Amino acid sequence: MEVFRAVMLTGSVAGAAELLHVSQPAVSKLLAHAARQSGLTLFERVKGRLVPTPEAQQLHAEIENLWRGVERVRDVSRTLARPETGTLRLAVSASLASHLAPRAVALLYERFPLLKSRIEILVSPIMVDALLDHSADLAIGLLPNEHPNLVTVKSYACGLACVMREDHPLAAKALVTPSDLRGQRVITSPASTPYGQSLHRAYGKAAADLRLDIEVRSATTACWFAQAGAGIAVIDRAAVAGQSFTGLAVRPFKSSERLEVRIIRNRYRPMSVVQEAFCDVFDRVWDEALKTPASPRIQR
């Protein structure tokens, strides 16, 4: 079809060969093959020139209709390979929404400046639903991967930190231990949740003696309450990776407990170029913010 169309456009075998960047014998051979396959006489020679027959004219009209579709497919494939525009839909845990996910998206825009992004901050069960119903391309957060239709793209072991107001007595310590929490009002998460269960394991033997007076559902909320002076909190380090909370002292928390941060996708939805690029830049952001051990600091 491509050779036939080129001959129709240029009016000669030589012109078609130049248009397609092939030899004239190759064009003649393919044109003869097309005539045999169709059982039609496509061209006649009149005074040394190729003149299309009425059948060829009608066939060319049909091919032109089809060719517009072929060109659209080519355009789409170029867009997918080198996307100038497109949409990335992310479901993000609250812990990662304060710095890590926004920073990764900002770096992604350096590569894809015309990209559109849609971000929702969701709890784990709803994040899973968003992947299953295709309303999210990727989910990033502290969530288990137990559904058979979901697959983990990346995973990261995340340690813990203790946060408090900068004028709190424990802010003077370089490292906070579970025993240091005794006598303090501790902001924690419900023991019925996986996050809360991880925190209780991190408290260790001191858990029975702690004043677990305030329960919240996310590390970000715990930071807000600690920032207000309501108590101190042990949280995942991902939540305080950036400078998002003014006046909040962040100290490493001594515990072997690790939380699992995952990037998850639908098993039956292969990743696009943009989605793969996001995973790459998230790797970079994670390494910059969390690969090295947490150092004592105050977020101003």
Side-chain angles (χ1 to χ4, degrees):
M1 284 191 297
E2 190 170 15
V3 168
F4 171 71
R5 180 174 179 270
V7 174
M8 292 292 292
L9 288 173
T10 62
S12 68
V13 169
E18 185 177 354
L19 181 65
L20 299 174
H21 304 289
V22 297
S23 67
Q24 291 186 36
V27 171
S28 297
K29 183 178 179 180
L30 285 170
L31 199 59
H33 177 72
R36 287 195 301 271
Q37 289 292 314
S38 65
L40 300 172
T41 299
L42 299 175
F43 298 94
E44 293 181 354
R45 286 204 171 269
V46 178
K47 296 182 180 181
R49 296 189 60 185
L50 285 180
V51 177
T53 63
E55 292 81 5
Q57 295 282 7
Q58 188 173 346
L59 185 62
H60 180 247
E62 293 297 324
I63 287 177
E64 280 300 305
N65 290 333
L66 176 61
W67 205 258
R68 284 192 288 271
V70 172
E71 290 297 327
R72 284 195 298 271
V73 171
R74 286 179 175 174
D75 290 342
V76 169
S77 65
R78 292 189 191 104
T79 299
L80 294 175
R82 299 180 180 273
E84 296 297 329
T85 60
T87 301
L88 177 65
R89 301 168 302 170
L90 299 175
V92 182
S93 288
S95 290
L96 277 72
S98 60
H99 174 74
L100 294 176
R103 180 59 183 152
V105 170
L107 291 177
L108 192 65
Y109 271 98
E110 294 179 3
R111 180 173 172 185
F112 304 108
L114 301 180
L115 179 71
K116 296 185 184 300
S117 54
R118 304 286 183 266
I119 295 96
E120 287 191 274
I121 300 173
L122 303 174
V123 296
S124 295
I126 300 178
M127 292 173 76
V128 169
D129 290 341
L131 289 174
L132 294 176
D133 67 16
H134 309 311
S135 58
D137 301 316
L138 297 171
I140 311 100
L142 297 158
L143 71 167
N145 181 21
E146 299 171 349
H147 198 284
N149 291 348
L150 303 181
V151 61
T152 297
V153 180
K154 301 269 188 178
S155 64
Y156 310 86
C158 182
L160 300 172
C162 186
V163 298
M164 67 220 79
R165 284 175 61 96
E166 58 188 75
D167 57 359
H168 193 282
L170 288 184
K173 298 180 68 68
L175 176 71
V176 177
T177 68
S179 60
D180 291 329
L181 301 181
R182 291 190 175 98
Q184 305 294 333
R185 181 183 297 109
V186 178
I187 305 163
T188 189
S189 287
S192 59
T193 65
Y195 192 87
Q197 292 163 12
S198 292
L199 293 182
H200 279 72
R201 288 193 295 268
Y203 301 148
K205 295 178 180 179
D209 302 325
L210 299 185
R211 294 174 53 193
L212 305 177
D213 294 345
I214 301 175
E215 287 188 352
V216 296
R217 289 280 177 175
S218 76
T220 303
T221 307
C223 287
W224 290 336
F225 276 76
Q227 188 181 38
I232 63 175
V234 176
I235 60 169
D236 58 280
R237 287 178 54 205
V240 285
Q243 304 295 317
S244 304
F245 302 95
T246 59
L248 191 68
V250 180
R251 300 292 179 264
F253 186 73
K254 187 177 181 180
S255 172
S256 59
E257 184 70 18
R258 294 293 181 270
L259 303 174
E260 199 74 16
V261 173
R262 292 184 175 92
I263 301 178
I264 295 179
R265 66 171 176 86
N266 190 304
R267 184 183 298 274
Y268 303 104
R269 302 275 290 197
M271 290 197 298
S272 67
V273 172
V274 169
Q275 292 163 29
E276 290 180 351
F278 174 83
C279 293
D280 290 341
V281 296
F282 191 87
D283 257 351
R284 175 179 160 189
V285 170
W286 184 273
D287 287 349
E288 290 174 351
L290 292 170
K291 195 170 185 179
T292 56
S295 56
R297 70 186 190 279
I298 294 175
Q299 299 194 358
R300 297 188 182 279

